[in-house]
């Protein structure tokens, strides 16, 4: 299993995130996908023997999200305890 960070500069909204998740989650060899809209990056945990990086890039390019760069790395752990109370009710 490999963890990679994909730089995807055209990611800008929740629709982009949904499209990328739908395109990658169904692929064999993909264990996890997380999209950071603000950072314009995609964290991918996958098996490169099953799904080569060139194929991942081709899938994203076909969806309209070309990959500008890649580097090794995993998604950060989810933040816990971030609750914003609603006031004035």
């Amino acid at each position: 299993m490999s963890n990679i960070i994909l730089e995807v500069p055209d990611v800008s909204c929740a629709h982009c995130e949904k499209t990328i998740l739908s395109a990658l989650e169904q692929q064999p060899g993909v264990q996890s996908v997380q999209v950071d809209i603000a950072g314009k990056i995609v964290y991918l945990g996958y098996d490169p023997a099953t799904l080569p990086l060139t194929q991942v890039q081709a899938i994203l390019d076909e969806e309209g999200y070309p990959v500008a760069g890649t580097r090794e790395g995993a998604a950060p752990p989810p933040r816990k305890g971030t609750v914003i109370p609603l006031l004035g009710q």
Side-chain angles (χ1 to χ4, degrees):
M1 186 61 61
S2 291
N3 292 303
I4 194 158
I5 299 170
L6 306 166
E7 298 168 13
V8 187
D10 292 338
V11 171
S12 62
C13 64
H15 173 74
C16 300
E17 177 181 25
K18 183 178 178 183
T19 301
I20 290 169
L21 291 174
S22 294
L24 292 178
E25 286 178 334
Q26 66 184 354
Q27 298 299 318
V30 171
Q31 181 181 23
S32 64
V33 182
Q34 184 178 336
V35 179
D36 177 349
I37 297 169
K40 298 186 179 293
I41 54 178
V42 175
Y43 298 99
L44 181 64
Y46 75 113
D47 178 5
T50 305
L51 182 67
L53 181 57
T54 55
Q55 189 174 348
V56 171
Q57 292 172 313
I59 290 166
L60 291 178
D61 192 52
E62 186 174 306
E63 293 294 334
Y65 300 99
V67 176
T70 62
R71 63 185 185 272
E72 291 289 320
R79 296 188 323 191
K80 294 182 181 179
T82 308
V83 177
I84 302 172
L86 299 176
L87 303 174
Q89 294 182 347

